[in-house]
Amino acid sequence: MSLAHTAAEYMLSDALLPDRRGPRLKGLRLELPLDRMVKFVAVGFPLLLMSLAFAQEFSSGSPINCFSPSNFSIRQAAYVDSSCWDSLVHHEQEESGQYKTKSLWPHKALPYSMLALAVVMYLPVLLWQYAAVPALSSDLLFIISELDKSYNRSIRLVQHMVKIRQKSSDPHVFWDELEKARKERYFEFPLLERYLACKQRSHSLVATYLLRNSLLLLFTSATYLYLGHFHLDVFFQEEFSCSIKTGLLSDETHIPDLITCRLTSLSVFQIVSLSTVAIYTLMVPVIIYNLTQLCQWDKRLLSIYEMLPAFDLLSRKMLGCPINDLNVILLFLRANISELISFSWLNVLCVLKDTTAQKHNIDTVVDFMTLLAGLEPSKPKHLTHQVYDENP
């Protein structure tokens, strides 16, 4: 019998989780995987396009090529290119003989507009970092620590029960004390459950998360408006008529009124515009999906941790509207599942519980580990019948 008790002690000792004494949870993820992907795309892609625009400008030289008159010298032709690029205004003659002007400044502002877009798209990330991350990290550290500690307390409790059963000469006294402890709920540690229940009445994290994704959608819509209003108007215009007869040159008769110029960077302009629309269009469904995650509970995670004593948010139907801080915390617990050492153990015990639930009354990890340690989770029937026979 001592060999069985020794094996039970070894089994329970192996089930205990290691105590974390070093730096606390260095790899804690404070952004959901899809949110991180959206951040890299929304901020990094405009920076990539900005680099492409600058690289094209530096590699090909002048972004425009003006067809100066043949009697112009090289320096005069260079002046025409520089002047037309500085003004970047298209002159079009109407039927009345007057000239109508149209600015082509989006070509010149292309790399800087991509830089501005990247900065604007980073603002929701900064909002999340400064408004939500400090409180979220504190909540996750406490909850992850308490979940693992609650699991360890359950295992130590079973170890204590096994030792008491070994020392108890009368099994009736042991089972009476055990049933009394369960009736008085001595095995439960309600601090974590009450803390999570309080988080259902808090909305600071969920408000910040909703604001972050709403701002991303708003800035994406503003990007569409900018591209549609300014880029679409000059999207197909490769040539334009430039006038250099300004200032001291306004009275020069040998200078033509208009000089035709061609935009050599039009292909890059078109690629940047189309790719921005395409990538941001693909990003919108991901943002909407992130928002819809707040409309449902992660009941799979909760059901596994209901194996812990006093963690019955589901069975007591304590979950209400999912749009609150608790749902956000559950999403981040799922993202940090590798930091929850107790999750893998409880997941295995939950699967085993489903296979043995028809034969034994198993509700918590205490009941299951009691069974594995060689004790019945409830008073054996022969002891119950014996008490009934002694006290008819």
Side-chain angles (χ1 to χ4, degrees):
M1 192 67 179
S2 60
L3 183 61
H5 289 160
T6 303
E9 290 179 2
Y10 286 160
M11 184 269 296
L12 292 174
S13 298
D14 292 339
L16 282 173
L17 303 179
D19 192 11
R20 300 186 181 185
R21 299 288 186 183
R24 301 182 64 191
L25 306 176
K26 280 187 175 181
L28 200 64
R29 297 179 180 90
L30 299 175
E31 276 187 316
L32 297 178
L34 287 179
D35 288 331
R36 180 172 296 184
M37 184 194 72
V38 169
K39 178 186 72 173
F40 286 141
V41 172
V43 178
F45 192 71
L47 295 178
L48 177 64
L49 296 179
M50 180 192 69
S51 303
L52 175 64
F54 276 125
Q56 191 275 339
E57 182 176 343
F58 292 145
S59 62
S60 62
S62 177
I64 63 173
N65 185 15
C66 295
F67 302 98
S68 304
S70 58
N71 58 345
F72 274 32
S73 64
I74 296 178
R75 295 183 61 183
Q76 288 174 327
Y79 171 79
V80 171
D81 290 348
S82 176
S83 178
C84 290
W85 176 249
D86 290 339
S87 62
L88 209 59
V89 175
H90 173 57
H91 294 76
E92 184 178 358
Q93 189 173 11
E94 297 180 340
E95 296 180 356
S96 60
Q98 295 181 349
Y99 287 100
K100 178 184 177 181
T101 61
K102 181 175 70 173
S103 177
L104 305 178
W105 66 269
H107 288 276
K108 186 187 299 185
L110 180 63
Y112 308 103
S113 62
M114 291 296 105
L115 177 61
L117 178 60
V119 172
V120 169
M121 285 298 182
Y122 194 67
L123 293 179
V125 179
L126 289 178
L127 172 68
W128 178 257
Q129 289 290 332
Y130 288 99
V133 163
L136 178 63
S137 60
S138 177
D139 289 336
L140 289 178
L141 286 173
F142 171 75
I143 293 172
I144 291 175
S145 176
E146 282 300 312
L147 287 174
D148 290 346
K149 286 179 180 178
S150 181
Y151 170 83
N152 272 353
R153 282 194 294 261
S154 301
I155 301 300
R156 291 192 179 100
L157 180 61
V158 177
Q159 289 179 324
H160 184 66
M161 290 168 56
V162 171
K163 291 180 181 179
I164 293 179
R165 180 65 184 89
Q166 293 175 6
K167 296 177 180 178
S168 176
S169 58
D170 187 358
H172 296 282
V173 176
F174 170 75
W175 287 111
D176 290 341
E177 290 293 330
L178 183 60
E179 290 183 357
K180 179 182 178 182
R182 284 176 174 167
K183 184 178 179 180
E184 299 294 335
R185 302 170 68 91
Y186 291 159
F187 295 164
E188 299 186 359
F189 312 98
L191 173 63
L192 179 59
E193 183 184 85
R194 292 179 181 178
Y195 181 76
L196 295 179
C198 290
K199 283 299 176 179
Q200 287 195 85
R201 299 187 292 270
S202 176
H203 298 86
S204 58
L205 288 177
V206 71
T208 306
Y209 189 79
L210 289 173
L211 181 59
R212 170 184 177 169
N213 287 277
S214 299
L215 286 176
L216 284 173
L217 291 176
L218 177 63
F219 294 153
T220 303
S221 302
T223 302
Y224 289 151
L225 291 176
Y226 169 78
L227 294 175
H229 186 268
F230 295 105
H231 282 216
L232 188 60
D233 191 35
V234 297
F235 190 78
F236 298 101
Q237 187 161 356
E238 184 176 9
E239 296 184 352
F240 67 99
S241 299
C242 173
S243 174
I244 62 171
K245 297 187 67 174
T246 58
L248 298 177
L249 301 178
S250 58
D251 296 330
E252 296 293 333
T253 57
H254 67 282
I255 298 177
D257 294 334
L258 297 176
I259 297 177
T260 302
C261 297
R262 185 173 65 88
L263 291 166
T264 59
S265 60
L266 179 65
S267 59
V268 174
F269 181 83
Q270 293 174 337
I271 291 174
V272 169
S273 302
L274 290 177
S275 58
T276 301
V277 172
I279 293 299
Y280 277 58
T281 301
L282 294 175
M283 190 179 68
V284 168
V286 180
I287 300 175
I288 296 176
Y289 175 78
N290 290 339
L291 291 174
T292 58
Q293 292 298 298
L294 298 175
C295 299
Q296 57 185 357
W297 293 101
D298 188 358
K299 293 185 178 181
R300 171 62 179 165
L301 181 65
L302 290 175
S303 63
I304 290 177
Y305 273 95
E306 283 210 334
M307 288 284 289
L308 295 178
F311 195 87
D312 46 1
L313 294 173
L314 279 178
S315 59
R316 292 188 185 182
K317 297 181 179 179
M318 298 174 63
L319 300 179
C321 176
I323 304 178
N324 52 52
D325 285 357
L326 177 59
N327 199 9
V328 176
I329 291 174
L330 291 178
L331 291 176
F332 279 90
L333 282 177
R334 173 65 70 176
N336 290 277
I337 205 70
S338 60
E339 300 292 340
L340 278 167
I341 307 177
S342 58
F343 178 80
S344 57
W345 281 90
L346 289 176
N347 192 25
V348 172
L349 294 179
C350 191
V351 173
L352 296 177
K353 183 193 75 170
D354 295 337
T355 61
T356 59
Q358 297 178 354
K359 301 179 181 179
H360 302 279
N361 184 20
I362 298 175
D363 293 326
T364 66
V365 65
V366 175
D367 300 328
F368 196 90
M369 298 306 290
T370 300
L371 180 64
L372 292 181
L375 299 178
E376 293 287 339
S378 59
K379 181 182 288 189
K381 292 183 179 180
H382 68 277
L383 292 179
T384 304
H385 293 324
Q386 183 177 354
V387 173
Y388 180 76
D389 293 338
E390 294 176 357
N391 301 286

